[in-house]
Amino acid sequence: MDRLKICAWNIEHADKLWKAASTPPVDRKIEARLDAIAEEIAHIDADVLFVSEGPGSEAAAQGFFARVAPAYRLVTRNATDWRDYQVRGTQWLWFLVRNTETLTGELQHIDRWRTLTESASEGDHRGGEWEVSYPVATPDFQSLSFKVPGRHSHYRHPQVLQLNVDGTHLELIGCHLKSKINKVRVPGDPYAPDYFDRNPALVADVIQSRIKLTTECSDIRHYIHARFTEDPEAPIIVLGDLNDGPGKERIEKRFLYHDLVSSLQGDVFLARQFLNHALFDFPQEARWSYHLQGGDKLDPRRDPRILLDHIMFTQSLSGGGDTGTGSAWRARAGGGQVEHDVHHRVASGRPKYAQTSDHRPVSMVFDRRR
């Protein structure tokens, strides 16, 4: 096997879709959407597919993917309890590998992740939790106080696939990080000079979400750092819905002065651990995976086409030529893309109810070094 294609796709409300498909009589609209998803997966033609927002149990996932991805094997833990995955709610994370003898994989136990992150954080992250401080609104919603300390953990814990490709090894960290959705709705002109001064509850809401999201990113960085103390050439790929695009949004510019993807990529001075982005050389105008319907209420001038879905990889998978050190696999120049063409072809002949997802798939091609 000389070429490996990896894809990350958020399939909108797959759990809800499969529940409807499993309750007879099944509406033709449900069947039409399942057919569309199956066609999009087939056209993407990935060797490894990571799905976020997938069905919320092993049994549901087995049924769903047998219907929409019959050419793939679902990688499971053979578990009946959500605690084995540490994913709460109904938006679970799943890896599928092409049904061929050259590809095998297993999911890493959550305890292994926690052991490594506890070590790398010097005990600050313990048992899958960590302390975090953030502002909260006072009961009268007129001012802010600080919650010190609060606690946070992954609502959807990253899943790690230990992938074997023809005797070579890759480690894939599949993610669906916390959303930055705002629960506090405030009318008025969001660009008014005193807008944030007048709305402390909104300020607390948007900052709290972003701080928690950033700490999830920090937990992933702890894991990567710990892996590099064991293997300085660790071939790690981070992929999935990170709920953040490169660059600073209005809230980041006003309150936090950083963006999540840059934080997750790491410190360039620890170059082997730095994460290269699959879309680095993909055309900028097409570098988006989600269209925010209705626009950003806090920043209406912002382009509603945003990049929420990402694939990044460590230095051992980049450069070095065909005979370079590091992984047996090398990221192909120009090999990363948002699958706009496939998504468009599948959507073009179908009505709105049969559209596959509100996210576009993102993929990356790796070539075997000679």
Side-chain angles (χ1 to χ4, degrees), residues 34-347:
L34 290 170
D35 289 341
I37 292 171
E39 184 177 336
E40 190 152 335
I41 290 174
H43 282 314
I44 292 168
D45 194 30
D47 298 295
V48 179
L49 175 64
F50 171 69
V51 173
S52 53
E53 218 166 301
S57 71
E58 278 192 5
Q62 292 282 13
F64 177 75
F65 291 116
R67 171 68 170 80
V68 301
Y72 291 83
R73 295 192 306 271
L74 177 68
V75 185
T76 69
R77 302 182 189 279
N78 295 317
T80 57
D81 197 304
W82 71 269
R83 293 176 182 83
D84 292 299
Y85 290 89
Q86 285 297 308
V87 178
R88 290 166 280 177
T90 59
Q91 297 181 359
W92 285 33
L93 317 178
W94 299 107
F95 280 102
L96 297 101
V97 297
R98 192 188 297 278
N99 196 10
T100 172
E101 293 181 358
T102 59
L103 284 170
T104 60
E106 63 178 2
L107 294 176
Q108 178 176 282
H109 200 286
I110 299 295
D111 286 351
R112 176 62 175 160
W113 178 285
R114 291 179 172 179
T115 296
L116 292 177
T117 54
E118 180 177 332
S119 171
S121 68
E122 298 180 340
D124 289 342
H125 292 221
R126 187 184 301 272
E129 292 188 335
W130 51 88
E131 292 186 349
V132 58
S133 300
Y134 48 81
V136 294
T138 56
D140 61 3
F141 296 106
Q142 297 303 308
S143 61
L144 297 176
S145 62
F146 234 76
K147 186 174 181 62
V148 184
R151 297 197 69 78
H152 188 56
S153 61
H154 290 287
Y155 189 77
R156 296 174 288 251
H157 197 288
Q159 305 295 308
V160 181
L161 176 68
Q162 302 294 345
L163 180 69
N164 185 291
V165 189
D166 268 343
T168 65
H169 174 254
L170 293 171
E171 186 165 332
L172 281 66
I173 303 174
C175 306
H176 187 185
L177 300 187
K178 186 187 184 319
S179 172
K180 294 194 292 188
I181 188 170
N182 302 319
K183 297 177 182 178
V184 177
R185 305 296 180 186
V186 179
D189 178 10
Y191 297 117
D194 61 347
Y195 182 74
F196 292 116
D197 297 333
R198 291 185 290 102
N199 297 297
L202 174 65
V203 172
D205 185 44
V206 298
I207 295 180
Q208 180 182 144
S209 291
R210 285 160 173 80
I211 287 176
K212 289 181 176 180
L213 175 61
T214 304
T215 66
E216 293 182 14
C217 156
S218 175
D219 192 59
I220 297 170
R221 285 305 317 182
H222 283 314
Y223 175 81
I224 292 172
H225 180 73
R227 285 288 292 114
F228 269 80
T229 63
E230 301 173 331
D231 179 6
E233 298 289 348
I236 295 175
I237 300 170
V238 179
L239 71 167
D241 182 353
L242 304 184
N243 270 310
D244 198 37
K248 299 175 179 64
E249 301 167 28
R250 185 183 182 212
I251 298 301
E252 278 69 25
K253 292 176 181 177
R254 176 69 180 263
F255 297 105
L256 299 175
Y257 299 99
H258 75 278
D259 68 281
L260 178 120
V261 172
S262 294
S263 300
L264 185 56
Q265 283 188 289
D267 188 341
V268 71
F269 293 104
L270 299 174
R272 304 302 294 173
Q273 301 181 34
F274 185 80
L275 299 177
N276 300 277
H277 203 287
L279 301 181
F280 174 79
D281 48 10
F282 189 69
Q284 183 169 349
E285 61 274 13
R287 203 180 299 157
W288 60 275
S289 63
Y290 180 80
H291 189 282
L292 184 60
Q293 298 297 325
D296 188 335
K297 304 301 182 184
L298 294 177
D299 192 7
R301 299 170 189 162
R302 180 189 179 196
D303 189 337
R305 298 171 302 173
I306 54 182
L307 183 63
L308 297 183
D309 306 272
H310 304 263
I311 299 177
M312 295 180 281
F313 45 89
T314 52
Q315 191 66 23
S316 65
L317 289 161
S318 179
D322 283 341
T323 58
T325 60
S327 171
W329 296 90
R330 182 182 63 174
R332 178 184 294 183
Q337 66 174 321
V338 182
E339 298 275 357
H340 292 299
D341 288 344
V342 167
H343 192 83
H344 175 69
R345 290 203 309 270
V346 173

Side-chain angles (χ1 to χ4, degrees), residues 340-361:
H340 292 299
D341 288 344
V342 167
H343 192 83
H344 175 69
R345 290 203 309 270
V346 173
S348 291
R350 289 179 163 86
K352 186 175 181 179
Y353 62 75
Q355 300 305 300
T356 57
S357 179
D358 53 353
H359 287 246
R360 308 291 174 92

